[in-house]
Amino acid sequence: MANEKAQPGNPYPLGSHYDGKGVNFALFSANATRVELCLFDKSGAEEIKRYELTENDNNIWHIYIPGLVPGQTYGYRVYGPYQPEQGHRFNPNKLLIDPYGKKLIGKLIWHKAIFGYDVDSPEKDLSFSTLDSAPYVPKSAVIAGSFDWEDDKHPYTKIEDTIIYETHVRGYTKLHPKVPDRKRGTFLGMEHKSTINYLKWLGVTAVELLPIHAFFGNRHKKGWINDNYWGYESFSFFSPEQSYLCYDEIDEFKSLVKTMHKHGLEVYLDVVYNHTGEGNQMGPTLCYRGIDNASYYTLNTENKRYYYDSTGTGSSFNIQNPYVLKLVMDSLRYWVKEMHVDGFRFDLATTLCRYKTDFKRDCGFLYAVKQDPVLNKVKLIAEPWDIGYAGYQVGGFPPGWYEWNDKYRDTVRRFWKGDTYQIPDLASRLSGSSDIFNHENRNITSSVNFVTAHDGFTLNDLVSYNVKHNHSNGEENRDGSNSNWSWNSGVEGETTDKSIIRNRQQRAKGMLTTLLLSFGTPMMLAGDEFLHSRFGNNNPYCQDNVINWIVWDAILKEERNIARYVRQVIRLRKKLKIFNRRKFFDGQVQDKKGIKDLSWYNENGTEFTAEDWKDNSRRSLAYSVFNENSSILCIFNVNGTEQNWRLPGIEGKSWNILLDSSGSFNSEEELGMHKIISIPAWSVIVIEIKK
């Protein structure tokens, strides 16, 4: 414990910084009238000293305490007006975590003292709480020390070679039989050799982790305990989630990244900067709300007691404020420079790009990211929508960004459901969605193609349920999307009918094949490759149980075979060397024989005509791609019966089968030009020109 007199210190760097002799503390608040630094014992249970920060330079409050060492726990008490209708919610009775804190000590205890208002008052949030929240909230901790990265290097996998695998740290390893009990559900569980070996075996190149920033759930919106298992309620943008730490050391995450890199795997983080775990005006006061509510959140212009909410969570983080923007940028750089991550997926990215309440491409956030030399080197993926006005912005982000393409998702789902009117849209989605992304010299990889993600049905449930079954969430099945474009093949849920099981497996394989043989950047949901089920729940955000956990021991032989098939398709995608293109197709002739870079064929072996494109009952098509590496024909048939298909004729050439999702053809079977073959129902066939 420090015995020396406090010194003024410096306004930067923000947060707590150990220099070998003491610790500098710096905190942004534009509207506070007074700030106190509270030091606690190692456990964070007992407050042992308090300092007033008397220095304020350009809204940065700061102090330097000689003699403090790493491991010191602390929090802030911030004074100012409690005037909700003016946007101010200061309450010094609430201990606040450091927005720049790199580690948290202790757990959040759900108690009425964590609210800035008196929860028993009829005036609700207009009242003022005098209860001390310190016993019930986590404390920030000073960190220091070095991690031996050895010769760690970012894999820097080219985006055109990238295959993303979205998963959840806890759910992926919680029931893994080869991961030691203590490490299950943690970063060290993800790092275990059995986990890494499987990812390498499957062939994906990047693992995208659902939020790992510290979170506590969204119970403030419910009135009863119902944690956000997914983690989309971040309340610290620098601290890793404590429950994912096996030995309470943040180096465990660094170790995971280092191990992933050794095996050529990139690590992406799903980050939530559009809102925080403090929620709406009825939520707790844990950090930003108590430090400077009017600066950190976008307020309702008509009544600042309330928030502008484009996120559906009760509030929106105010990235328009330069200090708040700096917080987000500093967080991103921290995870790249100190934690060595390779990319980010931005939840509800449209909210980050709003000026006042409108989406703007010339916003501060996009400009800041574009010019940043650290972030220029990593992958940046937008979820290009929110629920605010004009919030749907698929295709609206600038060059250098990759975007989740829900139009791809819905079209592929509808095609494999057997819907009509899908062929023109499907052709665009298969070829990179040029109608959405082909502008401003953007690349064909701009489209992040996916059929399933954490939000919505798993692939198994997509072919097993017609409607959602979310009753276990406790919201009377009102939550979750009703637009799933799913088909149960004739029976809702589990069945022993072999013909239905066969149909489900064929359509599941067909969708995965379509995903991996589409141009763009593919993203798979972990577990889809062996038909993991959530029992029809399409919004299991609060299910910390077997609904979300992957039950590795329950994977059947047939399901393992599907995983082997997916591995085969991934290997084929890499081998063909046609999906690593950057430019969109133009349909132009490539050589003297009149071969185009991309052509579309019908079952007669001839190129699509205007009438073919207008045939709304059509449920099959094929594309051919010709280049110096490979020349292939991919046939997609979602008719309920097999279909005769004449192979196109190219002088002096023959065909051989590379892939058959139905298993009806012999591998590498050679076929002649113009030969008529029978394409099984609900299948994908890949044929290569034999040179």
Side-chain angles (χ1 to χ4, degrees):
M1 184 61 200
N3 294 314
E4 299 182 46
K5 184 178 180 181
Q7 301 173 11
N10 298 300
Y12 294 99
L14 288 163
S16 59
H17 178 70
Y18 176 66
D19 64 3
K21 297 180 180 180
V23 179
N24 192 84
F25 297 88
L27 178 74
F28 159 72
S29 179
N31 294 294
T33 59
R34 179 183 175 188
V35 175
E36 291 177 341
L37 171 70
C38 302
L39 303 183
F40 288 78
D41 64 6
K42 188 175 182 180
S43 69
E46 180 183 356
E47 183 176 339
I48 52 181
K49 200 158 187 178
R50 190 177 298 194
Y51 295 88
E52 181 176 353
L53 281 66
T54 59
E55 300 294 326
N56 183 341
D57 292 330
N58 300 311
N59 298 323
I60 306 296
W61 301 76
H62 54 92
I63 192 172
Y64 180 86
I65 313 294
L68 290 188
V69 296
Q72 177 65 59
T73 57
Y74 67 98
Y76 290 105
R77 296 184 188 272
V78 182
Y79 295 74
Y82 188 85
Q83 299 171 340
E85 292 180 319
Q86 300 301 315
H88 300 306
R89 294 178 178 272
F90 295 101
N91 188 333
N93 299 299
K94 310 305 159 185
L95 189 79
L96 309 172
I97 68 169
D98 184 351
Y100 278 78
K102 307 301 191 298
K103 182 180 180 180
L104 295 178
I105 298 294
K107 303 294 184 181
L108 176 70
I109 299 174
W110 203 253
H111 186 275
K112 60 184 179 181
I114 69 175
F115 295 86
Y117 61 92
D118 182 355
V119 297
D120 297 320
S121 171
E123 293 184 325
K124 299 300 182 184
D125 64 304
L126 294 178
S127 63
F128 184 79
S129 170
T130 59
L131 298 177
D132 185 5
S133 69
Y136 309 103
V137 297
K139 282 59 174 195
S140 302
V142 178
I143 69 166
S146 60
F147 177 77
D148 186 5
W149 284 101
E150 298 180 288
D151 58 348
D152 179 70
K153 295 180 181 178
H154 292 274
Y156 289 126
T157 305
K158 294 180 180 179
I159 188 64
E160 58 266 30
D161 296 328
T162 296
I163 301 172
I164 303 170
Y165 191 74
E166 186 196 43
T167 191
H168 187 279
V169 170
R170 179 170 170 82
Y172 199 65
T173 64
K174 180 63 178 175
L175 298 179
H176 201 299
K178 294 184 179 180
V179 174
D181 289 350
R182 181 168 183 175
K183 294 182 179 180
R184 292 182 181 181
T186 70
F187 296 130
L188 295 184
M190 283 296 299
E191 185 192 355
H192 192 268
K193 63 180 181 179
S194 60
T195 309
I196 300 293
N197 288 343
Y198 174 73
L199 295 171
K200 286 291 292 178
W201 174 85
L202 187 60
V204 297
T205 69
V207 177
E208 182 175 300
L209 301 176
L210 266 66
I212 60 99
H213 291 166
F215 61 90
F216 69 86
N218 59 3
R219 291 171 284 185
H220 55 278
K221 294 192 294 186
K222 306 294 180 182
W224 50 280
I225 294 177
N226 198 15
D227 279 340
N228 190 321
Y229 161 85
W230 280 344
Y232 289 94
E233 292 288 342
S234 304
F235 70 101
S236 176
F237 299 134
F238 292 84
S239 302
E241 167 58 24
Q242 293 163 279
S243 65
Y244 297 164
L245 300 175
C246 184
Y247 300 104
D248 200 31
E249 297 292 339
I250 62 175
D251 283 354
E252 295 171 37
F253 178 79
K254 296 179 181 179
S255 181
L256 166 62
V257 174
K258 178 179 172 180
T259 301
M260 290 276 193
H261 286 177
K262 280 184 177 179
H263 291 83
L265 294 166
E266 292 189 311
V267 178
Y268 304 161
L269 299 185
D270 193 336
V271 289
V272 187
Y273 295 114
N274 59 80
H275 72 282
T276 79
E278 290 183 313
N280 63 16
Q281 72 278 2
M282 304 307 294
T285 296
L286 301 172
C287 182
Y288 315 97
R289 174 173 287 133
I291 294 171
D292 193 347
N293 183 67
S295 292
Y296 280 104
Y297 294 106
T298 304
L299 304 182
N300 185 307
T301 55
E302 296 181 0
N303 187 342
K304 294 182 179 180
R305 172 186 177 186
Y306 304 107
Y307 298 94
Y308 170 74
D309 179 17
S310 60
T311 68
T313 65
S315 62
S316 299
F317 214 45
N318 184 21
I319 310 298
Q320 300 171 53
N321 184 294
Y323 293 95
V324 180
L325 175 59
K326 176 177 171 53
L327 170 71
V328 171
M329 297 299 294
D330 287 347
S331 170
L332 291 169
R333 283 188 290 264
Y334 173 78
W335 288 97
V336 175
K337 294 177 68 176
E338 299 298 327
M339 300 298 201
H340 289 206
V341 303
D342 306 284
F344 302 95
R345 179 264 189 188
F346 293 82
D347 181 65
L348 301 181
T350 301
T351 291
L352 305 178
C353 306
R354 289 189 177 275
Y355 175 69
K356 295 185 178 178
T357 58
D358 295 328
F359 173 83
K360 297 289 186 180
R361 291 190 64 190
D362 57 352
C363 65
F365 173 71
L366 290 177
Y367 279 171
V369 169
K370 182 64 177 177
Q371 61 78 45
D372 192 281
V374 173
L375 300 182
N376 279 341
K377 298 177 182 178
V378 300
K379 312 293 195 307
L380 302 172
I381 303 170
E383 182 185 36
W385 53 74
D386 63 18
I387 67 167
Y389 172 73
Y392 187 75
Q393 292 294 331
V394 175
F397 280 70
W401 280 82
Y402 311 100
E403 302 178 38
W404 273 27
N405 186 354
D406 65 330
K407 291 183 179 180
Y408 178 95
R409 175 198 65 196
D410 292 349
T411 298
V412 171
R413 286 185 177 193
R414 294 191 67 181
F415 177 70
W416 283 97
K417 178 174 172 281
D419 286 357
T420 54
Y421 299 90
Q422 299 306 306
I423 295 300
D425 278 350
L426 180 68
S428 181
R429 305 301 154 242
L430 288 171
S431 57
S433 297
S434 61
D435 56 326
I436 302 173
F437 298 105
N438 191 10
H439 58 86
E440 301 177 277
N441 293 314
R442 297 188 73 179
N443 293 331
I444 200 170
T445 54
S446 299
S447 175
V448 176
N449 300 328
F450 67 104
V451 179
T452 58
H454 67 275
D455 189 4
F457 277 148
T458 63
L459 184 64
N460 178 82
D461 294 354
L462 197 60
V463 297
S464 303
Y465 295 90
N466 282 350
V467 296
K468 64 187 182 184
H469 296 265
N470 299 355
H471 297 87
S472 59
N473 294 352
E475 301 182 42
E476 299 180 351
N477 209 37
R478 294 190 302 266
D479 63 305
S481 175
N482 293 316
S483 299
N484 297 294
W485 305 117
S486 61
W487 175 43
N488 64 15
S489 302
V491 173
E492 189 76 354
E494 296 299 311
T495 182
T496 57
D497 189 309
K498 292 183 179 180
S499 64
I500 291 178
I501 293 173
R502 169 71 176 170
N503 179 272
R504 290 176 177 178
Q505 291 179 347
Q506 282 301 101
R507 287 194 294 123
K509 290 171 66 177
M511 279 186 272
L512 283 170
T513 308
T514 303
L515 173 66
L516 292 165
L517 297 182
S518 295
F519 290 85
T521 306
M523 184 190 79
M524 297 172 52
L525 174 65
D528 275 355
E529 71 272 22
F530 42 75
L531 300 185
H532 168 66
S533 176
R534 292 176 180 156
F535 312 104
N537 192 325
N538 75 350
N539 186 40
Y541 72 98
C542 57
Q543 300 295 332
D544 189 6
N545 49 49
V546 293
I547 291 178
N548 274 312
W549 302 344
I550 291 178
V551 187
W552 295 91
D553 279 341
I555 301 173
L556 303 175
K557 180 179 179 181
E558 288 187 1
E559 294 162 347
R560 292 192 182 96
N561 287 336
I562 293 176
R564 294 187 182 98
Y565 171 78
V566 173
R567 177 177 184 254
Q568 178 187 359
V569 182
I570 290 175
R571 295 180 71 180
L572 179 62
R573 178 184 175 94
K574 294 177 179 179
K575 175 184 176 182
L576 289 175
K577 300 295 185 182
I578 66 170
F579 297 98
N580 59 355
R581 65 181 291 132
R582 287 179 172 269
K583 299 298 182 182
F584 286 91
F585 294 100
D586 56 20
Q588 299 301 307
V589 173
Q590 301 297 298
D591 60 20
K592 295 180 180 179
K593 294 183 178 180
I595 296 176
K596 300 176 183 178
D597 60 353
L598 175 67
S599 300
W600 301 96
Y601 287 94
N602 60 27
E603 63 276 13
N604 298 316
T606 59
E607 287 195 55
F608 258 49
T609 65
E611 293 304 312
D612 286 318
W613 291 116
K614 294 176 183 177
D615 183 358
N616 294 326
S617 63
R618 175 174 290 280
R619 290 186 176 88
S620 64
L621 86 164
Y623 75 71
S624 65
V625 173
F626 297 88
N627 63 25
E628 66 278 6
N629 296 311
S630 301
S631 302
I632 67 165
L633 180 76
C634 293
I635 305 172
F636 302 84
N637 178 30
V638 300
N639 287 287
T641 58
E642 62 183 21
Q643 183 177 28
N644 288 332
W645 199 285
R646 182 182 295 275
L647 299 178
I650 298 177
E651 184 178 353
K653 302 291 184 180
S654 62
W655 301 91
N656 62 282
I657 292 177
L658 297 181
L659 184 74
D660 167 24
S661 67
S662 71
S664 300
F665 291 93
N666 294 325
S667 178
E668 303 293 330
E669 180 177 345
E670 185 173 324
L671 305 169
M673 291 291 104
H674 301 294
K675 180 179 177 62
I676 296 176
I677 62 175
S678 181
I679 306 298
W682 305 105
S683 68
V684 181
I685 306 293
V686 181
I687 308 175
E688 182 180 31
I689 289 182
K690 188 175 182 181
K691 296 182 179 180

